[in-house]
Structures are given as C-alpha cells and as structure tokens.
Amino acid sequence: MSSDSLSYDVIIVGGGPVGLAQALAFSRFQDGLGVALLDRRPFAVPDDKRAFALSAGVRRVLEALGVWREIAAEAQPITAMKITDSGRGDISRPVFLSFEGDVVPGEPYAHMVPNKVLTAALLKAVEGRAELIAPVEVTRWEAGPITAVLSLKDGRALSAPLIVAADGAMSALRGMAGIDVVTHDYHQSGVGTTIMHELPHEGVAYEHFRPAGPFASLPLTGNRSSLVWTEATAETARLKSLSLESAAAEIEAAMGSSLGHVTVEESLQTFPLRLQLAKDFIADRLALIGDAAHVIHPLAGQGLNLGFKDVAALTETVLDAMRLGLDHGAPDVLERYQAWRRFDTSLMAAVTDNLNRLFSNDVAPVRALRDVGLGLVDRLPRLKSALIGRAAGLDHDGPRLLRGMPL
C-alpha cells in the first residue's frame, strides 16, 4: 500500500494505549495488512506520572506484541494486596482481606507500569507498521455495503471495511453511529498523584475503603507509589487547591502512616467518576474498544485492562475471519466480538458498581456485614484464587493472546 493511499484494511481512531495496541496487533499478526491510526493530537509520549495496573493477561498480550521487554525494567510487580476498612475518625485500619500476588508461582497477577513507559514502547513498536495520521479531526462516518468512509476536516476521505473507535469516553465515532450509552454519575471524583515515602512498599498494594470511597496505594519502582483516591466531588476541589506539603500531610494521615513520611511528587489531578456502558459495542462496519465502549469505577484497577481485553478479542475475531477469506467487517464477524466482550464487561461494571455502593458509606450495620463478608472470603483459599485469577484476566475461555497463545 502506498503511503498516500486513502484505502486501508482497518482504520483505528484514537491513539491512546488501547488504540496503539490495536494497530500493533493487527499489523504484527497479519502480514501486509493496511492499517491506519488516527488521532486528534500529534503522536507523542505523554509527559505525566500516571501509572496503570496491568494484569497478568495483559502482560501476556504485551509480550506477544513484542513490547514487554521495553517495559519490564520500569514495571513494578504487585506481590500482594491488602484490603482494609474504617469509618470516619477510626485510628485502626484492620486488614480484612489479603491476596498473595502470584497467579502461578513466579508470575504476579499484575504489574504497575507508568503511562509514559507503556505509550513509548507501543508507539516505537507501531511506527513503520501502521500509517500514523495526526493531528486530524473526523467530521463524518458513513458505512456502506463494502466499506466505511471517514471524512476528515482537512477534506480527505479514508475508507476501510472496518473502522475501530478507540477515541475515548466521549467518542465522536460512537455518537456519529448513533450508539447510546447507559450512564450513572457517582457524584465522586478520583484524585491521582505520585508519592515518595520513607518505608519500602515491598510490592504491596493497599485498598483502604473509607466512607467517601476507596483510597488505593499502588507500588511503583523505588520507594514510590501511585495513588487513586476517591472522594465526594465537592471535597476534591479543596484537595486540589492544597500545597504539596499540605497534600502530603493529608495523604499520610489517610494511609495511617503505613509507609512512613510522605512527599508528593506532583500536584493532585482530579477526574469525575461515572459508570458508562455503550448499549452496543458495534455498528455497521464499526467496533468500539476501550473507553469508547465502557467506563467503570477505578476501584479495581480494571479500566485499561478491559480495553486490552477488547484488543485481544477483536484481533482474534477479525484475523480468524480474514484467514477464512471472509469480510472482516461484516455484521456476523463483529457480532462475535460483541458477544465475547459484552458479558465480561457488564460483569466487571456490576462488580465495581456494587462494591462502590457497598463500601462508600459509614452506616455501622452495613460496615459490620461487609467486614464479616471480607473476613469469610479471606478464609476461603479457593474463592480467593478464583477472584485473583479473574482479576488477572486469565479466563480459560478468553482470547488466545490473554492466555499467552499465538494467533
């Protein structure tokens, strides 16, 4: 395919980690496939300190894509998770539930990976494999019997049998396709930052449930941790206005000084929290992946993992069809992808939604019941193993890439 061609086999819109991974997966596992990747902004490595908890299944996907080696040095294994619960003003934070971090001996169920490290590795790997087109704005999407056409603001028109929308929670393509969403505002906001601390975390992740929402401390390389702190939206405005020293003092108090003295590396960032699920993950010659299809509460750290699961499922579905000589953008092919991903996504959305409702309150009888429930789960090793396996994305009937199998 010449570099100025306007026709492709697949066009992906959205150049975040999920879109980059999807472009890389298509081009890596099918020689000669014409792949275009579009974004509103120039392709560049972000200069931020965000980090993601990537499950064992996603690590296997990244290994298959040939990028894990670039990431591994900056990836911090999560060796264990400890879950605590307390009310307002409680001094003690008893551990009601803990998980060992290995899904199999020597394989952690998740790694913490900085966003800029992940994005840099994916961008480096995809360059030369897919045509990167940015910055551009899509103004129209139109599906025909054989191809779909994207009209760009600069006057160009790009066509392909399959368009993939990876353009985020406010997906323009989803709106152009007329796909509605089911949404629920949590009236909470997430507060994110990176901290340095006096004591070593030893690879342990902490999820501390507080009345306003969970407070998660996730280990990074060195004596550093990534925080995702859920608060009522009105409270987050106050937190964001704090000096770094005052923020560090509040964070240290919220953590019960479990990691000693804390310093904050960057100002606190806030983002509204909501549940949002697309009513359909597909339309004519269009598939939604990542946040374009689903947004869930971050308390389980599964948002980006769901997006990479979408990539694994869509890649397998599309390439299976192509290798059989079928139209890879046909309704029955895309329906297989939708059926594969809808149940898993809906289940995770329901779990995170109900956990947030259950734990984000300070009602004493409710607290007592949930703490008893956590304690019971902690005493059932088979159930704990099943839960950690699910969080690791190692479903026995999942996409082959998530199970470390070739396509």
Side-chain angles (χ1 to χ4, degrees):
M1 183 184 65
S2 63
S3 61
D4 60 351
S5 173
L6 300 180
S7 297
Y8 303 87
D9 296 302
V10 182
I11 299 172
I12 301 154
V13 179
V18 172
L20 286 166
Q22 187 64 82
L24 180 57
F26 279 140
S27 59
R28 185 176 180 87
F29 298 119
Q30 186 68 33
D31 291 339
L33 199 66
V35 179
L37 178 62
L38 283 59
D39 200 83
R40 318 185 269 111
R41 293 164 292 193
F43 289 99
V45 177
D47 183 21
D48 66 23
K49 293 183 181 295
R50 288 183 300 156
F52 301 111
L54 301 183
S55 69
V58 169
R59 179 186 59 76
R60 294 178 183 186
V61 173
L62 294 172
E63 285 181 338
L65 293 177
V67 298
W68 182 253
R69 188 174 299 176
E70 297 279 335
I71 294 169
E74 296 294 328
Q76 169 63 50
I78 297 179
T79 60
M81 172 170 279
K82 296 183 179 180
I83 297 175
T84 66
D85 187 17
S86 70
R88 291 184 177 89
D90 288 0
I91 296 175
S92 65
R93 292 170 171 80
V95 175
F96 289 99
L97 180 59
S98 62
F99 294 98
E100 294 303 317
D102 286 1
V103 287
V104 297
E107 183 178 8
Y109 90 93
H111 286 78
M112 287 299 298
V113 176
N115 179 42
K116 61 183 178 182
V117 173
L118 174 63
T119 303
L122 289 168
L123 189 56
K124 178 181 177 181
V126 82
E127 287 177 339
R129 288 185 172 274
E131 185 169 350
L132 306 183
I133 304 174
V136 293
E137 181 181 344
V138 177
T139 57
R140 186 178 180 184
W141 162 88
E142 185 176 5
I146 299 175
T147 62
V149 178
L150 294 181
S151 299
L152 306 184
K153 189 175 183 179
D154 62 14
R156 286 181 289 175
L158 313 180
S159 66
L162 173 62
I163 310 294
V164 179
D167 53 342
M170 304 303 291
S171 171
L173 277 178
R174 186 186 64 223
M176 292 175 190
I179 298 175
D180 291 330
V181 297
V182 176
T183 186
H184 170 69
D185 187 344
Y186 286 118
H187 302 292
Q188 296 172 318
S189 290
V191 181
T193 191
T194 302
I195 62 170
M196 295 188 67
H197 37 79
E198 179 183 9
L199 302 177
H201 50 58
E202 298 180 340
V204 178
Y206 294 91
E207 184 95 54
H208 178 51
F209 285 102
R210 308 167 77 226
F215 182 106
S217 169
L218 305 167
L220 298 172
T221 54
N223 276 16
R224 301 164 55 248
S225 292
S226 176
L227 297 187
V228 181
W229 180 0
T230 301
E231 277 287 354
T233 298
E235 173 66 2
T236 58
R238 182 190 71 83
L239 292 172
K240 191 174 181 180
S241 69
L242 295 175
S243 67
L244 296 186
E245 293 76 14
S246 297
E250 295 218 14
I251 289 167
E252 188 175 323
M255 298 175 72
S257 298
S258 58
L259 293 175
H261 180 64
V262 166
T263 57
V264 178
E265 288 193 348
E266 59 179 347
S267 60
L268 276 59
Q269 302 297 313
T270 63
F271 46 94
L273 301 180
R274 70 182 186 279
L275 171 68
Q276 179 176 288
L277 295 177
K279 291 186 177 180
D280 295 292
F281 287 10
I282 61 172
D284 290 343
R285 302 202 170 276
L286 178 70
L288 309 184
I289 63 174
D291 286 355
H294 41 70
V295 176
I296 64 172
H297 199 284
L299 65 86
Q302 290 295 311
L304 185 61
N305 289 315
L306 287 180
F308 276 101
K309 285 184 173 184
D310 297 341
V311 169
L314 185 62
T315 302
E316 184 171 334
T317 301
V318 167
L319 295 190
D320 281 353
M322 296 184 75
R323 290 164 183 172
L324 291 172
L326 303 176
D327 176 358
H328 59 281
D332 57 336
V333 173
L334 298 186
E335 183 57 47
R336 180 191 171 203
Y337 160 72
Q338 174 169 257
W340 208 350
R341 294 300 302 134
R342 176 174 273 170
F343 175 77
D344 178 59
T345 300
S346 298
L347 177 63
M348 186 57 67
V351 167
T352 54
D353 181 66
N354 284 300
L355 283 174
N356 185 56
R357 293 172 188 270
L358 177 63
F359 283 94
S360 296
N361 66 75
D362 200 24
V363 180
V366 175
R367 281 186 55 205
L369 285 173
R370 74 195 184 204
D371 292 345
V372 168
L374 288 174
L376 288 174
V377 172
D378 200 44
R379 291 165 175 80
L380 297 171
R382 288 188 179 180
L383 178 57
K384 287 173 66 173
S385 295
L387 290 172
I388 204 73
R390 186 80 189 183
L394 302 180
D395 309 332
H396 70 278
D397 57 350
R400 294 198 292 269
L401 287 177
L402 286 162
R403 290 178 283 146
M405 300 172 64
L407 285 183

